[in-house]
Amino acid sequence: MARPWRRAAARPAEETAVRPRTAVELVDVSHTYGERTVLRDVSLVLAEHRVGVIGSNGSGKSTFARLLNGLVVPTSGRVLVDGLDTAADLRAVRRRVGFVFQDPDAQIVHPTVAEDVAFGLHNQRVPAAERAERVAEVLARYGLAGHADHPAHLLSGGQKQLLAIAGVLVMRPARVVFDEPTTLLDLANRRRVARVIEELEQDVVVVTHDLDLLTGFDRVLVVEDGRVVADGAPGETVDWYVARMT
Amino acid sequence: MSTLALYSPVPSVLHRTPAGLKLAALAALSVLLFAVPQLPVASIALAAVVVLALAGARLTPRQLLAQLRPVWLWLAGLLVFHAIVTDLATGALAVIRLATLVLAAAVVTATSRVAELVAVIEWVCAPLRLLGVRPARIGLAIAMTLRFIPLIAERAERIREAQAARGATRPLFLSLVPLLVQVLQLAHTTAEALDARGADDEAPPRALWRRG
Ligand SMILES: Nc1ncnc2c1ncn2[C@@H]1O[C@H](COP(=O)(O)OP(=O)(O)OP(=O)(O)O)[C@@H](O)[C@H]1O
Ligand SMILES: [Mg+2]
């Protein structure tokens, strides 16, 4: 099968002249941890609403995701989020881009549900009244309203991941990056999280091994050994990846 | 269940009492108990705390007993120690005093959200600002401790089970190694999550953080 490859995406340099202000742009990005190079010369413009990232273990997907909100700053090259350089405007980038990790336990930092959701709003100095209102609204949206005062560690795995997502979305980021949000979940909860992602108005980038999650996505990247080796519509890209792995 | 996750969602008079007042009363009670070391005083205090817990905080007797369970051996040991070294009355005083404080602290935690307690602690620590300490950091550290103790206890239990399932008869301390590895991984991701959720944002002028 021919490798799916979108020309426009492969040539961001042409596009930089008319660089969309509402896009994520990677310009010749490489990243090394010590001696080890985990991303090599990645150049991309991501302007789609929903972008998926797949690839084998250790291929560099999480590193790629972390670049998008400045958790990792590239060793060389630049990452621009809506025109902001992650190296220079770190705080502004972090405020624009929410990040959901695989393990909800590591992201929940307060003992009870409502307090944890309020955490990011505290950091943003949102006044108490507005804070309470936004927390209540988000808890209701994710079916956690009845658990507001419950200890977070008594929630089920699926509820914990919804709590972690609520804690990020309550901050109203302009974009959200997910790194394997469904890996630890059962089928019912995977579907729930998939629906949450589907309903988001924000642009999202989702790293996943859960290929079903990518149905309806606008674009999928395949990462292999630190390079983007395929890039296109989910149907062709996912099929190409699956064929390659079997 | 974990004694640290005690918050009782049943509303009560004490839930509506400001956390600062409850903490001040708790402090006053401990000063009283140690300043006036007399059995009748301690007994009355214990009775008062129990009444307050059941009627004021609407806790069940079971919830109260659960609070004493972890310190139960301690209290028994203390009584025996005093009975041998000093006398039974002193032992009784020491035990009643400690039990009173444990229950009083339980009443405070059962009726105050961690956020409220943390806010009081931050307020008390506010003068430390002059020394360059950020009170909000102290508050966050306390909240995170309360959050992670049950989690780490649970992970430790899971490791112990996994080792037992494979017939491990190894000494207990060897299961500390995988636990340590897990805790370090957890800490790494948590540090990233704190960054991603804006924990290190300096207090910017209000207009700056509003998106728009
Ligand atoms: N902080 C770090 N320090 C050193 N090496 C790292 C670090 N983070 C990741 N690596 C290494 O970089 C490589 C790419 O890691 P990355 O986490 O980006 O892969 P991944 O595609 O997300 O894999 P997985 O599917 O297993 O999550 C791996 O070989 C990993 O061991
Ligand atoms: Mg990964």
Side-chain angles (χ1 to χ4, degrees):
Chain A
M1 194 184 306
R3 169 187 303 188
W5 196 271
R6 180 198 306 244
R7 290 199 67 79
R11 302 201 178 283
E14 284 169 12
E15 276 179 309
T16 30
V18 286
R19 178 198 306 154
R21 296 291 293 178
T22 56
V24 174
E25 186 178 1
L26 282 78
V27 186
D28 295 329
V29 168
S30 294
H31 192 72
T32 57
Y33 291 113
E35 301 276 274
R36 214 185 130 83
T37 302
V38 291
L39 285 178
R40 302 158 206 271
D41 293 322
V42 177
S43 290
L44 282 172
V45 177
L46 304 177
E48 289 77 7
H49 176 34
R50 273 177 280 166
V51 178
V53 180
I54 56 179
S56 36
N57 289 132
S59 55
K61 303 180 300 296
S62 293
T63 307
F64 177 83
R66 281 169 167 73
L67 285 171
L68 305 184
N69 81 333
L71 282 173
V72 167
V73 175
T75 332
S76 69
R78 299 200 304 155
V79 178
L80 303 168
V81 175
D82 301 328
L84 298 164
D85 189 319
T86 59
D89 313 299
L90 188 58
R91 278 177 204 286
V93 169
R94 291 253 173 89
R95 253 172 263 141
R96 284 198 76 72
V97 186
F99 201 104
V100 177
F101 297 81
Q102 174 181 348
D103 180 1
D105 272 331
Q107 306 169 68
I108 299 169
V109 294
H110 274 267
T112 62
V113 171
E115 283 164 352
D116 188 72
V117 174
F119 174 66
L121 297 180
H122 266 286
N123 296 333
Q124 294 182 326
R125 309 292 188 285
V126 173
E130 186 188 338
R131 205 159 64 212
E133 199 175 299
R134 279 166 67 173
V135 168
E137 180 204 336
V138 164
L139 289 181
R141 189 171 347 132
Y142 296 113
L144 293 168
H147 301 277
D149 287 324
H150 288 197
H153 81 277
L154 296 184
L155 296 180
S156 73
Q159 286 173 326
K160 280 185 189 171
Q161 187 58 294
L162 288 172
L163 171 58
I165 294 174
V168 169
L169 292 181
V170 76
M171 298 171 76
R172 305 197 175 146
R175 308 172 165 279
V176 191
V177 177
F178 293 84
D179 190 357
E180 301 194 36
T182 59
T183 303
L184 300 174
L185 304 181
D186 64 18
L187 186 60
N189 284 305
R190 282 217 296 264
R191 296 222 167 111
R192 253 177 114 178
V193 168
R195 209 172 324 123
V196 167
I197 294 174
E198 193 183 316
E199 284 167 1
L200 287 180
E201 288 167 12
Q202 287 100 328
D203 286 353
V204 297
V205 173
V206 182
V207 171
T208 189
H209 292 292
D210 176 5
L211 302 177
D212 293 338
L213 191 59
L214 303 174
T215 347
F217 270 48
D218 304 297
R219 180 173 172 187
V220 172
L221 314 176
V222 181
V223 178
E224 205 177 278
D225 195 22
R227 292 177 212 276
V228 176
V229 294
D231 178 354
E236 40 180 330
T237 328
V238 170
D239 287 350
W240 180 80
Y241 174 66
V242 170
R244 197 177 158 83
M245 290 294 130
T246 44
Chain B
M1 215 43 257
S2 162
T3 50
L4 288 161
L6 180 70
Y7 184 79
S8 153
V10 184
S12 78
V13 185
L14 282 179
H15 282 74
R16 292 190 292 275
T17 311
L21 201 60
K22 285 181 280 191
L23 281 176
L26 182 61
L29 178 67
S30 39
V31 170
L32 173 80
L33 286 175
F34 285 89
V36 191
Q38 282 166 16
L39 200 51
V41 174
S43 307
I44 292 171
L46 179 60
V49 167
V50 170
V51 169
L52 207 57
L54 298 178
R58 295 177 60 194
L59 296 179
T60 62
R62 259 187 65 191
Q63 280 173 310
L64 274 189
L65 283 179
Q67 289 310 302
L68 287 177
R69 199 168 300 133
V71 288
W72 156 247
L73 271 181
W74 248 88
L75 295 178
L78 201 61
L79 190 65
V80 172
F81 173 80
H82 273 292
I84 295 167
V85 178
T86 55
D87 57 275
L88 200 60
T90 317
L93 175 64
V95 167
I96 291 177
R97 216 156 47 177
L98 269 184
T100 308
L101 284 178
V102 167
L103 291 180
V107 169
V108 174
T109 41
T111 59
S112 317
R113 292 200 170 84
V114 174
E116 293 167 342
L117 294 175
V118 165
V120 174
I121 291 164
E122 285 176 14
W123 180 77
V124 171
C125 293
L128 294 178
R129 239 186 256 276
L130 297 174
L131 303 174
V133 177
R134 287 163 65 182
R137 283 297 162 89
I138 299 177
L140 178 60
I142 293 169
M144 286 181 61
T145 307
L146 294 176
R147 153 77 185 128
F148 283 101
I149 285 177
L151 178 65
I152 291 170
E154 190 185 299
R155 299 248 163 134
E157 179 60 18
R158 245 186 265 155
I159 289 174
R160 207 193 50 73
E161 281 172 0
Q163 295 191 342
R166 291 188 292 162
T169 48
R170 302 194 295 167
L172 192 64
F173 72 87
L174 281 181
S175 62
L176 283 178
V177 176
L179 182 63
L180 193 63
V181 170
Q182 281 198 13
V183 168
L184 288 175
Q185 275 169 355
L186 196 63
H188 181 78
T189 317
T190 304
E192 286 192 321
L194 284 172
D195 272 351
R197 294 176 74 185
D200 67 343
D201 263 12
E202 302 291 331
R206 295 203 159 188
L208 278 187
W209 55 257
R210 275 191 195 278
R211 209 165 66 73

